[in-house]
Amino acid sequence: MTGWLDITGVGAPVTVQDAGRPGKMHHGVPPGGPLVPELLALANLAVGNASGAAALEAFGRLELRARGRSVRVSMDGHAFTLAEGERLTVPAPESTSVRYVAVDGGLAVPEVLGGRGTLLVARLGGHEGRLLRSGDSLPLGDANERAEARAPGASLDATAPIRVTLGPDNRRFEPATVATLLSGAFTVSAATDRVGMRLQGPSLTHGDEGTGTSRPMVRGAIQVTLSGTPIVLGPDHPTTGGYPLIATVIRADWGRLCARRPGAAVRFQEVSLEEAREAWRHHAEHFGIRGRSTPPP
């Protein structure tokens, strides 16, 4: 039976997001994907979906209605059934930056370039490549009655230091500046979105005058602007950039960083490449993250 999820009220930005589109950078398309992969995985697994199935990523209050069939719904991993015609009010996230709403069968919006998620910077994917608004209707995938739902058994620690690997532009920074990154107290700026997280705190001075060669970027790279402000690239980051890179947030800590709201504290801790890889292996298993998630470098 065909089903729909009707959007009946929107209080803040909300989009369709899935595991993303890795491998399309040579076409000028950033990888995208969830801002907080762990929360998307927990929401999907609770209704029997693959961890990266298309779901809603909401920054605030949201009102929904099931149409055409009953829907098994999960908010951040806590699942319940919404009867056909029944309405649901999704409250704004309280302790994290975003909330994920998954439905059994996933959101069956058209697949574009290998993904269903919304890429606002390119106006593609999701629902017409844009933010959702009241009156939109999203098709539901076929519910798999034999799919085994998984109760949330993992939690996201959004207070621990964020682990990074240093470089690749250490030669452009004085040792004291690198030390400032690792010892300084930063906070999340309100000027933060899916493209990047701007941090407030000590200035990270460098001698680069913007003459660096433009090159491919990756999620988690910490660019330092001419004014010394660090910006951590997010899922919708530019495919190329020229600001010097002082460090890169490891894959296992993307979500722990991006779950933090404006004003939240951020501290960094250096780890080795092997430690980063081991952290990702443990983290992916712990949260059940599978599919097109990008492994660490």
Side-chain angles (χ1 to χ4, degrees):
M1 177 184 295
T2 300
W4 300 82
L5 192 66
D6 295 334
I7 310 298
T8 58
V10 174
V14 56
T15 58
V16 176
Q17 296 298 337
D18 67 354
R21 299 178 177 85
K24 301 295 189 299
M25 289 265 288
H26 59 296
H27 293 305
V29 178
L35 193 64
V36 185
E38 298 84 354
L39 297 185
L40 174 67
L42 291 177
N44 270 316
L45 294 172
V47 291
N49 294 341
S51 62
L56 297 178
E57 180 180 271
F59 284 81
R61 187 173 182 271
L62 178 64
E63 297 175 4
L64 308 170
R65 178 178 59 210
R67 178 163 58 89
R69 69 169 173 88
S70 63
V71 181
R72 189 70 176 160
V73 179
S74 165
M75 290 193 299
D76 299 334
H78 302 282
F80 52 91
T81 298
L82 196 64
E84 197 279 331
E86 188 176 358
R87 294 174 181 265
L88 169 69
T89 296
V90 179
E94 297 179 356
S95 59
T96 58
S97 58
V98 293
R99 166 164 281 154
Y100 291 88
V101 181
V103 296
D104 56 338
L107 298 173
V109 295
E111 189 171 293
V112 181
L113 294 177
R116 302 183 193 274
T118 309
L119 186 58
L120 294 174
V121 293
R123 298 183 181 180
L124 61 81
H127 185 72
E128 300 177 356
R130 60 169 171 79
L131 295 173
L132 296 174
R133 51 181 179 248
S134 182
D136 289 337
S137 294
L138 305 174
L140 303 178
D142 294 332
N144 184 357
E145 296 180 357
R146 291 177 295 178
E148 181 180 356
R150 171 174 160 178
S155 59
L156 188 67
D157 181 1
T159 61
I162 299 300
R163 292 166 292 183
V164 299
T165 55
L166 294 180
D169 295 327
N170 288 357
R171 68 187 185 280
R172 301 194 197 180
F173 298 93
E174 296 293 334
T177 301
V178 176
T180 297
L181 173 75
L182 298 176
S183 64
F186 298 88
T187 58
V188 178
S189 168
T192 292
D193 56 21
R194 286 180 51 85
V195 174
M197 174 183 283
R198 186 177 294 265
L199 299 177
Q200 296 174 321
S203 177
L204 303 179
T205 58
H206 57 84
D208 188 276
E209 296 298 329
T211 59
T213 302
S214 186
R215 58 188 167 172
M217 290 291 106
V218 297
R219 180 172 179 177
I222 305 178
Q223 293 185 325
V224 182
T225 67
L226 299 183
S227 65
T229 300
I231 299 175
V232 186
L233 297 185
D236 294 353
H237 64 80
T239 55
T240 61
Y243 286 129
L245 305 179
I246 192 170
T248 302
V249 174
I250 71 170
R251 171 67 182 86
D253 284 5
W254 286 356
R256 291 203 298 111
L257 176 61
C258 290
R260 301 182 188 192
R261 300 161 65 91
V266 177
R267 289 184 177 273
F268 294 106
Q269 174 187 344
E270 179 188 2
V271 296
S272 68
L273 185 58
E274 184 52 43
E275 288 172 321
R277 287 172 173 159
E278 180 59 29
W280 167 242
R281 284 191 288 267
H282 174 76
H283 191 78
E285 180 179 356
H286 186 60
F287 282 93
I289 299 175
R290 297 290 184 270
R292 298 190 300 273
S293 297
T294 307

